[in-house]
Amino acid sequence: MSSKGPLKIENARQIALCTCMQSNHWPLCDATHHTLGGDGPKLIELDPRKTYYFCTCHKTKKSPYCDGSHENIEKDAPIK
Ligand code: FES
Protein backbone atom coordinates (compact mmCIF):
# COMPACT_ATOMS: atom_id res chain seq x y z
CA MET A 1 0.00 0.00 0.00
CA SER A 2 1.23 3.49 -0.81
CA SER A 3 0.07 6.84 0.46
CA LYS A 4 0.56 10.29 -0.94
CA GLY A 5 0.22 11.72 2.54
CA PRO A 6 -2.47 13.89 4.02
CA LEU A 7 -4.93 16.20 2.30
CA LYS A 8 -4.04 19.82 3.14
CA ILE A 9 -6.99 22.15 3.65
CA GLU A 10 -6.59 25.93 4.02
CA ASN A 11 -8.99 28.88 4.09
CA ALA A 12 -12.06 26.73 4.64
CA ARG A 13 -14.90 27.13 7.11
CA GLN A 14 -16.38 23.68 6.58
CA ILE A 15 -15.66 20.47 4.72
CA ALA A 16 -17.75 17.36 4.08
CA LEU A 17 -15.89 14.14 4.87
CA CYS A 18 -17.04 10.96 3.13
CA THR A 19 -18.49 8.30 5.42
CA CYS A 20 -19.71 5.88 2.74
CA MET A 21 -16.15 4.93 1.63
CA GLN A 22 -17.10 5.26 -2.08
CA SER A 23 -15.99 8.80 -2.91
CA ASN A 24 -13.63 9.27 -5.86
CA HIS A 25 -12.16 12.26 -4.02
CA TRP A 26 -11.43 10.58 -0.68
CA PRO A 27 -11.51 11.77 2.06
CA LEU A 28 -13.95 14.41 0.77
CA CYS A 29 -17.54 13.64 -0.17
CA ASP A 30 -18.24 13.85 -3.90
CA ALA A 31 -21.93 12.94 -3.60
CA THR A 32 -21.35 9.35 -4.80
CA HIS A 33 -23.46 8.22 -1.84
CA HIS A 34 -26.50 9.61 -3.69
CA THR A 35 -26.07 7.09 -6.52
CA LEU A 36 -24.39 4.12 -4.80
CA GLY A 37 -26.06 4.39 -1.41
CA GLY A 38 -24.67 4.80 2.03
CA ASP A 39 -24.72 7.43 4.70
CA GLY A 40 -24.08 11.04 3.79
CA PRO A 41 -20.97 13.02 4.70
CA LYS A 42 -19.83 14.19 8.12
CA LEU A 43 -19.60 17.98 8.19
CA ILE A 44 -16.50 19.34 9.94
CA GLU A 45 -16.36 23.00 11.02
CA LEU A 46 -12.94 24.60 10.48
CA ASP A 47 -11.17 27.81 11.44
CA PRO A 48 -10.32 29.47 8.08
CA ARG A 49 -7.17 31.01 9.63
CA LYS A 50 -5.71 27.54 10.25
CA THR A 51 -4.23 24.84 8.04
CA TYR A 52 -5.51 21.29 8.49
CA TYR A 53 -4.14 17.94 7.36
CA PHE A 54 -6.69 15.16 6.88
CA CYS A 55 -5.72 11.50 6.81
CA THR A 56 -5.96 9.70 3.47
CA CYS A 57 -4.24 6.42 4.47
CA HIS A 58 -6.72 5.17 7.13
CA LYS A 59 -3.86 4.52 9.59
CA THR A 60 -4.15 7.63 11.77
CA LYS A 61 -5.01 7.33 15.44
CA LYS A 62 -6.40 10.88 15.40
CA SER A 63 -9.12 10.48 12.77
CA PRO A 64 -9.95 12.39 10.69
CA TYR A 65 -6.67 14.25 11.10
CA CYS A 66 -3.23 13.06 9.92
CA ASP A 67 -0.88 11.94 12.72
CA GLY A 68 2.05 11.04 10.44
CA SER A 69 1.23 7.31 10.32
CA HIS A 70 1.46 7.30 6.49
CA GLU A 71 5.23 7.64 6.83
CA ASN A 72 5.38 4.22 8.52
CA ILE A 73 3.46 2.60 5.66
CA GLU A 74 6.30 3.41 3.26
CA LYS A 75 8.94 2.18 5.72
CA ASP A 76 7.07 -1.05 6.56
CA ALA A 77 6.30 -1.94 2.93
CA PRO A 78 7.98 -5.17 1.76
CA ILE A 79 11.01 -4.79 -0.51
CA LYS A 80 10.29 -6.00 -4.04
S1 FES B 1 -19.58 10.18 -1.37
FE1 FES B 1 -19.30 9.17 0.52
S2 FES B 1 -20.46 10.32 1.92
FE2 FES B 1 -20.77 11.35 0.06
Side-chain angles (χ1 to χ4, degrees):
M1 179 180 213
S2 175
S3 173
K4 295 182 221 165
L7 173 66
K8 182 179 179 181
I9 299 286
E10 298 177 293
N11 304 315
R13 292 188 181 281
Q14 185 183 70
I15 63 168
L17 291 179
C18 176
T19 64
C20 76
M21 309 300 284
Q22 302 171 102
S23 174
N24 294 308
H25 296 93
W26 179 263
L28 302 178
C29 173
D30 67 356
T32 299
H33 64 274
H34 286 296
T35 53
L36 297 181
D39 292 334
K42 178 179 180 180
L43 298 179
I44 305 285
E45 303 296 327
L46 302 175
D47 181 340
R49 297 168 295 180
K50 294 183 178 179
T51 300
Y52 296 86
Y53 295 89
F54 288 90
C55 176
T56 63
C57 74
H58 307 279
K59 298 294 185 188
T60 184
K61 293 177 177 61
K62 296 181 178 179
S63 183
Y65 305 101
C66 174
D67 69 356
S69 294
H70 60 278
E71 294 176 13
N72 294 328
I73 293 171
E74 297 296 323
K75 286 186 230 166
D76 295 342
I79 299 171
K80 294 181 182 176

XYZ file of all heavy atoms in Angstrom:
630
model
N 0.842 -1.179 0.000
C 0.000 0.000 0.000
C 0.882 1.234 0.000
O 1.901 1.298 0.646
C -0.902 -0.018 1.244
C -1.793 1.188 1.345
S -2.808 1.044 2.849
C -4.265 1.845 2.275
N 0.498 2.238 -0.736
C 1.232 3.488 -0.814
C 0.305 4.639 -0.475
O -0.873 4.597 -0.746
C 1.776 3.644 -2.233
O 2.388 4.903 -2.359
N 0.870 5.676 0.123
C 0.069 6.845 0.464
C 0.786 8.082 -0.017
O 2.001 8.193 0.062
C -0.144 6.908 1.971
O -0.777 8.121 2.316
N 0.003 9.022 -0.520
C 0.563 10.293 -0.940
C 0.636 11.248 0.228
O 1.057 12.373 0.061
C -0.289 10.891 -2.047
C -0.297 10.093 -3.312
C -1.134 10.795 -4.355
C -1.963 9.793 -5.095
N -3.029 10.366 -5.859
N 0.228 10.830 1.381
C 0.225 11.719 2.538
C -1.119 12.375 2.717
O -2.084 12.073 2.018
N -1.185 13.300 3.657
C -2.474 13.892 4.018
C -2.996 14.883 2.988
O -2.250 15.400 2.160
C -2.153 14.598 5.333
C -0.710 14.951 5.226
C -0.080 13.812 4.465
N -4.281 15.164 3.100
C -4.930 16.202 2.304
C -4.841 17.503 3.088
O -5.330 17.588 4.214
C -6.401 15.845 2.057
C -7.229 16.928 1.376
C -6.751 17.155 -0.052
C -8.701 16.558 1.413
N -4.206 18.512 2.496
C -4.041 19.817 3.139
C -5.245 20.690 2.804
O -5.606 20.834 1.631
C -2.757 20.470 2.633
C -2.450 21.806 3.254
C -1.144 22.341 2.676
C -0.769 23.684 3.236
N 0.497 24.184 2.642
N -5.839 21.264 3.838
C -6.990 22.154 3.653
C -6.670 23.504 4.298
O -6.303 23.561 5.472
C -8.267 21.572 4.301
C -8.642 20.225 3.684
C -9.422 22.568 4.223
C -9.240 20.286 2.312
N -6.815 24.570 3.521
C -6.592 25.925 4.022
C -7.788 26.794 3.644
O -8.480 26.522 2.665
C -5.348 26.541 3.372
C -4.068 25.818 3.665
C -2.886 26.434 2.930
O -2.857 26.359 1.689
O -2.019 26.992 3.612
N -7.967 27.867 4.402
C -8.989 28.884 4.087
C -10.380 28.291 3.917
O -11.109 28.692 3.018
C -8.605 29.661 2.820
C -7.238 30.288 2.938
O -6.915 30.886 3.955
N -6.422 30.134 1.907
N -10.741 27.353 4.746
C -12.063 26.730 4.644
C -12.797 26.837 5.977
O -12.181 26.727 7.036
C -11.930 25.265 4.243
N -14.072 27.068 5.904
C -14.905 27.129 7.112
C -15.553 25.782 7.413
O -15.936 25.509 8.532
C -16.004 28.178 6.957
C -15.484 29.585 6.912
C -16.618 30.587 6.953
N -16.117 31.931 6.880
C -15.595 32.590 7.907
N -15.543 32.020 9.082
N -15.135 33.811 7.765
N -15.708 24.970 6.393
C -16.380 23.684 6.576
C -15.974 22.749 5.438
O -15.786 23.190 4.302
C -17.900 23.893 6.536
C -18.714 22.667 6.837
C -20.195 22.957 6.708
O -20.699 23.161 5.609
N -20.891 22.975 7.841
N -15.845 21.473 5.764
C -15.661 20.469 4.718
C -16.622 19.322 5.000
O -17.111 19.155 6.115
C -14.218 19.923 4.627
C -13.817 19.210 5.901
C -13.245 21.029 4.261
C -12.535 18.412 5.749
N -16.878 18.528 3.973
C -17.748 17.359 4.082
C -16.897 16.110 3.874
O -16.412 15.861 2.771
C -18.863 17.426 3.042
N -16.686 15.365 4.952
C -15.892 14.142 4.868
C -16.772 12.967 4.490
O -17.851 12.771 5.057
C -15.219 13.848 6.204
C -14.103 14.786 6.636
C -13.579 14.362 7.994
C -12.977 14.805 5.620
N -16.306 12.146 3.577
C -17.038 10.962 3.128
C -17.133 9.942 4.260
O -16.149 9.663 4.945
C -16.311 10.348 1.934
S -17.037 8.800 1.346
N -18.299 9.380 4.454
C -18.487 8.300 5.423
C -18.922 7.005 4.743
O -18.979 5.967 5.389
C -19.558 8.668 6.478
O -20.811 8.822 5.823
C -19.181 9.928 7.230
N -19.222 7.070 3.439
C -19.712 5.878 2.737
C -18.575 5.063 2.118
O -18.823 3.967 1.613
C -20.736 6.267 1.673
S -20.032 6.975 0.178
N -17.341 5.608 2.132
C -16.150 4.930 1.626
C -16.187 4.708 0.111
O -15.487 3.851 -0.404
C -15.944 3.570 2.323
C -15.980 3.641 3.829
S -14.726 4.711 4.528
C -13.288 3.687 4.367
N -16.999 5.463 -0.632
C -17.100 5.261 -2.080
C -16.709 6.487 -2.890
O -16.745 6.455 -4.123
C -18.544 4.859 -2.437
C -18.981 3.599 -1.720
C -20.449 3.323 -1.905
O -20.791 2.466 -2.715
N -21.298 4.047 -1.195
N -16.323 7.570 -2.212
C -15.993 8.804 -2.909
C -14.771 8.622 -3.800
O -13.801 7.955 -3.434
C -15.720 9.911 -1.888
O -15.255 11.072 -2.550
N -14.791 9.250 -4.962
C -13.630 9.269 -5.857
C -12.663 10.380 -5.486
O -11.637 10.546 -6.142
C -14.087 9.430 -7.310
C -14.865 8.233 -7.783
O -14.419 7.093 -7.660
N -16.061 8.469 -8.296
N -13.001 11.158 -4.487
C -12.156 12.260 -4.020
C -11.882 12.124 -2.530
O -11.918 13.099 -1.791
C -12.820 13.607 -4.344
C -12.943 13.843 -5.801
N -14.066 13.509 -6.527
C -12.057 14.335 -6.688
C -13.867 13.804 -7.784
N -12.665 14.310 -7.924
N -11.685 10.872 -2.081
C -11.426 10.577 -0.685
C -10.335 11.491 -0.127
O -9.359 11.720 -0.826
C -11.010 9.104 -0.550
C -10.705 8.732 0.833
C -9.480 8.665 1.427
C -11.659 8.403 1.837
N -9.610 8.313 2.736
C -10.930 8.149 3.017
C -13.052 8.317 1.864
C -11.567 7.808 4.208
C -13.661 7.978 3.036
C -12.913 7.716 4.183
N -10.483 12.038 1.061
C -11.514 11.767 2.058
C -12.729 12.686 1.968
O -13.581 12.660 2.847
C -10.754 12.006 3.368
C -9.809 13.116 3.049
C -9.383 12.844 1.617
N -12.814 13.481 0.902
C -13.945 14.407 0.766
C -15.122 13.740 0.075
O -14.948 12.919 -0.824
C -13.507 15.642 -0.032
C -12.336 16.424 0.565
C -11.969 17.584 -0.345
C -12.662 16.924 1.964
N -16.308 14.127 0.475
C -17.540 13.642 -0.167
C -17.641 14.227 -1.565
O -17.399 15.417 -1.764
C -18.751 14.074 0.674
S -20.342 13.723 -0.105
N -17.989 13.377 -2.543
C -18.238 13.851 -3.904
C -19.659 13.507 -4.343
O -19.952 13.493 -5.530
C -17.211 13.277 -4.879
C -17.345 11.773 -5.061
O -18.179 11.142 -4.375
O -16.593 11.218 -5.894
N -20.503 13.218 -3.382
C -21.931 12.937 -3.598
C -22.180 11.555 -4.202
O -23.296 11.257 -4.601
C -22.609 14.019 -4.424
N -21.157 10.716 -4.285
C -21.347 9.354 -4.804
C -22.376 8.600 -3.972
O -23.085 7.733 -4.500
C -20.000 8.604 -4.811
O -19.102 9.293 -5.668
C -20.157 7.173 -5.308
N -22.495 8.930 -2.702
C -23.458 8.225 -1.838
C -24.883 8.380 -2.348
O -25.735 7.544 -2.069
C -23.343 8.710 -0.385
C -23.699 10.141 -0.188
N -22.802 11.168 -0.351
C -24.877 10.707 0.149
C -23.401 12.323 -0.098
N -24.665 12.067 0.202
N -25.159 9.423 -3.131
C -26.504 9.614 -3.691
C -26.834 8.534 -4.718
O -27.982 8.122 -4.849
C -26.629 10.985 -4.361
C -26.713 12.111 -3.387
N -27.747 12.265 -2.501
C -25.858 13.138 -3.156
C -27.545 13.347 -1.763
N -26.400 13.889 -2.128
N -25.820 8.074 -5.472
C -26.074 7.086 -6.516
C -25.773 5.659 -6.069
O -26.436 4.734 -6.515
C -25.245 7.388 -7.786
O -23.869 7.520 -7.426
C -25.719 8.667 -8.439
N -24.763 5.476 -5.207
C -24.386 4.121 -4.797
C -24.930 3.735 -3.432
O -24.799 2.582 -3.014
C -22.855 3.975 -4.799
C -22.177 4.134 -6.163
C -20.677 3.934 -6.034
C -22.761 3.169 -7.185
N -25.504 4.681 -2.720
C -26.063 4.385 -1.407
C -25.050 4.612 -0.304
O -23.874 4.840 -0.540
N -25.532 4.577 0.882
C -24.669 4.796 2.035
C -25.054 6.075 2.749
O -25.861 6.866 2.268
N -24.443 6.242 3.917
C -24.719 7.433 4.696
C -24.086 8.642 4.020
O -23.134 8.520 3.265
C -24.144 7.295 6.105
C -24.873 6.224 6.902
O -26.059 5.962 6.602
O -24.261 5.652 7.812
N -24.620 9.801 4.324
C -24.083 11.043 3.790
C -22.817 11.456 4.519
O -22.352 10.774 5.436
N -22.242 12.583 4.131
C -20.968 13.016 4.698
C -21.095 13.514 6.129
O -22.176 13.858 6.594
C -20.552 14.151 3.768
C -21.844 14.721 3.287
C -22.758 13.535 3.133
N -19.935 13.575 6.787
C -19.827 14.190 8.115
C -19.273 15.597 7.899
O -18.182 15.752 7.342
C -18.888 13.380 9.004
C -18.688 13.978 10.372
C -17.755 13.112 11.200
C -17.561 13.717 12.584
N -16.670 12.894 13.408
N -20.043 16.594 8.343
C -19.597 17.976 8.187
C -18.653 18.341 9.324
O -18.938 18.077 10.488
C -20.792 18.922 8.164
C -21.780 18.699 7.016
C -22.935 19.684 7.126
C -21.094 18.826 5.671
N -17.505 18.932 8.959
C -16.501 19.344 9.939
C -16.344 20.861 9.846
O -16.048 21.392 8.769
C -15.125 18.682 9.640
C -15.244 17.172 9.565
C -14.072 19.126 10.648
C -15.406 16.487 10.878
N -16.561 21.550 10.964
C -16.364 23.002 11.017
C -14.873 23.294 11.199
O -14.204 22.642 12.003
C -17.155 23.598 12.185
C -18.638 23.300 12.138
C -19.329 23.913 10.929
O -18.912 24.991 10.482
O -20.273 23.283 10.429
N -14.360 24.261 10.435
C -12.940 24.601 10.478
C -12.755 26.085 10.757
O -13.632 26.900 10.472
C -12.269 24.259 9.141
C -12.362 22.819 8.664
C -11.743 22.692 7.281
C -11.707 21.873 9.645
N -11.587 26.422 11.274
C -11.173 27.815 11.439
C -10.432 28.208 10.164
O -9.372 27.632 9.866
C -10.253 27.926 12.660
C -9.798 29.356 12.916
O -9.853 30.195 11.998
O -9.363 29.612 14.054
N -10.952 29.137 9.359
C -10.321 29.470 8.079
C -8.926 30.063 8.218
O -8.184 30.158 7.236
C -11.296 30.471 7.444
C -12.128 30.984 8.552
C -12.175 29.916 9.607
N -8.521 30.455 9.421
C -7.171 31.008 9.635
C -6.142 29.899 9.824
O -4.948 30.160 9.858
C -7.176 31.912 10.864
C -8.092 33.124 10.707
C -8.280 33.815 12.020
N -8.986 32.902 12.934
C -9.325 33.191 14.180
N -9.007 34.354 14.693
N -9.962 32.308 14.932
N -6.614 28.661 9.975
C -5.706 27.544 10.252
C -5.554 26.633 9.037
O -6.388 26.635 8.134
C -6.231 26.719 11.435
C -6.222 27.484 12.735
C -6.683 26.582 13.870
C -6.628 27.322 15.201
N -7.098 26.460 16.311
N -4.480 25.855 9.063
C -4.231 24.844 8.041
C -4.455 23.482 8.676
O -3.989 23.228 9.789
C -2.788 24.933 7.521
O -2.598 26.229 6.953
C -2.506 23.875 6.467
N -5.179 22.617 7.978
C -5.510 21.291 8.490
C -4.957 20.223 7.549
O -4.874 20.442 6.337
C -7.038 21.115 8.579
C -7.696 22.049 9.551
C -8.078 23.326 9.158
C -7.944 21.664 10.863
C -8.688 24.200 10.049
C -8.554 22.524 11.760
C -8.919 23.787 11.345
O -9.516 24.642 12.230
N -4.628 19.085 8.135
C -4.145 17.941 7.355
C -5.036 16.748 7.686
O -5.060 16.285 8.824
C -2.684 17.625 7.684
C -1.762 18.735 7.272
C -1.466 19.787 8.140
C -1.216 18.759 5.995
C -0.640 20.829 7.741
C -0.382 19.796 5.593
C -0.103 20.825 6.468
O 0.707 21.861 6.079
N -5.756 16.269 6.688
C -6.685 15.159 6.882
C -6.077 13.858 6.365
O -5.470 13.822 5.290
C -8.018 15.437 6.170
C -8.818 16.502 6.873
C -8.661 17.833 6.542
C -9.683 16.169 7.890
C -9.362 18.821 7.203
C -10.391 17.145 8.563
C -10.230 18.481 8.228
N -6.265 12.817 7.136
C -5.718 11.497 6.812
C -6.326 10.949 5.524
O -7.536 11.044 5.316
C -6.009 10.529 7.968
S -5.473 8.828 7.650
N -5.484 10.378 4.670
C -5.955 9.695 3.471
C -5.537 8.224 3.462
O -5.861 7.500 2.534
C -5.403 10.365 2.191
O -3.983 10.260 2.199
C -5.824 11.815 2.103
N -4.776 7.783 4.487
C -4.240 6.416 4.474
C -4.983 5.466 5.407
O -4.704 4.271 5.420
C -2.761 6.420 4.841
S -2.409 6.709 6.595
N -5.908 5.973 6.198
C -6.718 5.173 7.134
C -5.919 4.616 8.312
O -6.408 3.757 9.017
C -7.416 3.992 6.440
C -8.221 4.388 5.246
N -9.489 4.900 5.344
C -7.924 4.350 3.932
C -9.945 5.153 4.133
N -9.015 4.833 3.262
N -4.694 5.056 8.512
C -3.859 4.520 9.594
C -3.760 5.457 10.794
O -3.194 5.080 11.823
C -2.438 4.226 9.081
C -2.384 3.189 7.988
C -2.792 1.837 8.488
C -2.618 0.784 7.407
N -3.176 -0.503 7.790
N -4.275 6.664 10.692
C -4.149 7.625 11.774
C -4.874 7.152 13.042
O -5.869 6.446 12.974
C -4.704 9.004 11.358
O -4.464 9.926 12.430
C -6.193 8.948 11.059
N -4.344 7.578 14.165
C -5.006 7.325 15.443
C -5.744 8.576 15.906
O -6.273 8.617 17.007
C -3.981 6.879 16.483
C -3.391 5.507 16.158
C -2.320 5.105 17.144
C -1.785 3.713 16.864
N -1.171 3.558 15.561
N -5.725 9.620 15.072
C -6.398 10.878 15.404
C -7.417 11.244 14.329
O -7.512 12.406 13.923
C -5.369 11.998 15.556
C -4.411 11.781 16.709
C -3.435 12.925 16.847
C -2.537 12.697 18.042
N -1.549 13.778 18.209
N -8.154 10.272 13.850
C -9.118 10.475 12.772
C -10.052 11.647 13.078
O -10.516 11.777 14.201
C -9.938 9.202 12.590
O -10.826 9.358 11.524
N -10.309 12.489 12.096
C -9.947 12.389 10.690
C -8.628 13.068 10.343
O -8.301 13.197 9.177
C -11.112 13.118 10.003
C -11.448 14.229 10.951
C -11.253 13.601 12.335
N -7.877 13.476 11.352
C -6.665 14.247 11.096
C -5.438 13.342 10.942
O -5.340 12.289 11.567
C -6.431 15.248 12.230
C -7.627 16.131 12.432
C -8.514 15.887 13.468
C -7.888 17.183 11.562
C -9.645 16.680 13.639
C -9.008 17.968 11.730
C -9.884 17.720 12.762
O -11.002 18.492 12.909
N -4.486 13.783 10.129
C -3.229 13.064 9.923
C -2.392 13.113 11.201
O -2.280 14.173 11.834
C -2.467 13.718 8.775
S -0.813 13.046 8.536
N -1.818 11.983 11.589
C -0.883 11.944 12.717
C 0.506 11.467 12.272
O 1.345 11.133 13.096
C -1.418 11.069 13.850
C -1.439 9.590 13.504
O -1.118 9.218 12.354
O -1.792 8.791 14.389
N 0.747 11.432 10.971
C 2.052 11.035 10.444
C 2.188 9.541 10.211
O 3.238 9.079 9.773
N 1.143 8.768 10.468
C 1.229 7.306 10.319
C 1.532 6.873 8.892
O 2.097 5.796 8.682
C -0.074 6.646 10.785
O -0.250 6.822 12.168
N 1.200 7.680 7.886
C 1.457 7.298 6.493
C 2.953 7.112 6.237
O 3.340 6.352 5.372
C 0.882 8.343 5.527
C 1.465 9.704 5.707
N 1.015 10.577 6.677
C 2.480 10.327 5.072
C 1.718 11.690 6.608
N 2.620 11.560 5.655
N 3.791 7.790 7.016
C 5.234 7.642 6.830
C 5.689 6.232 7.182
O 6.629 5.721 6.588
C 5.972 8.667 7.677
C 5.703 10.084 7.221
C 6.357 11.120 8.100
O 7.216 10.749 8.925
O 5.998 12.289 7.962
N 5.039 5.582 8.123
C 5.384 4.219 8.516
C 4.940 3.201 7.478
O 5.521 2.129 7.383
C 4.763 3.888 9.876
C 5.358 4.737 10.975
O 6.527 5.106 10.912
N 4.556 5.077 11.955
N 3.915 3.511 6.704
C 3.460 2.601 5.660
C 4.575 2.402 4.647
O 4.875 1.292 4.245
C 2.200 3.154 4.956
C 1.034 3.167 5.929
C 1.862 2.322 3.722
C -0.189 3.885 5.393
N 5.212 3.496 4.239
C 6.304 3.406 3.262
C 7.471 2.607 3.832
O 8.058 1.783 3.159
C 6.761 4.809 2.867
C 5.685 5.633 2.179
C 5.257 5.044 0.846
O 6.118 4.514 0.140
O 4.064 5.116 0.537
N 7.808 2.854 5.114
C 8.938 2.177 5.723
C 8.686 0.691 5.931
O 9.590 -0.119 5.824
C 9.258 2.811 7.091
C 9.932 4.147 6.994
C 10.331 4.608 8.367
C 9.864 6.020 8.584
N 9.908 6.455 9.958
N 7.418 0.334 6.252
C 7.073 -1.050 6.559
C 6.746 -1.875 5.317
O 6.555 -3.074 5.414
C 5.875 -1.098 7.515
C 6.213 -0.505 8.874
O 7.429 -0.388 9.179
O 5.286 -0.166 9.614
N 6.682 -1.230 4.161
C 6.302 -1.945 2.928
C 7.391 -2.971 2.596
O 8.585 -2.699 2.756
C 6.146 -0.959 1.770
N 6.982 -4.142 2.119
C 7.976 -5.167 1.761
C 8.827 -4.714 0.579
O 8.354 -4.032 -0.303
C 7.126 -6.386 1.405
C 5.762 -5.859 1.141
C 5.629 -4.579 1.889
N 10.090 -5.123 0.593
C 11.006 -4.785 -0.511
C 10.740 -5.734 -1.659
O 10.663 -6.945 -1.480
C 12.475 -4.906 -0.029
C 12.709 -3.921 1.127
C 13.436 -4.668 -1.161
C 14.045 -4.100 1.814
N 10.595 -5.184 -2.851
C 10.293 -6.002 -4.042
C 11.535 -6.228 -4.850
O 12.424 -5.466 -4.907
C 9.244 -5.296 -4.906
C 7.922 -5.215 -4.196
C 6.887 -4.522 -5.079
C 5.568 -4.401 -4.325
N 4.580 -3.691 -5.053
S -19.579 10.184 -1.373
Fe -19.299 9.166 0.516
S -20.457 10.318 1.924
Fe -20.768 11.347 0.055
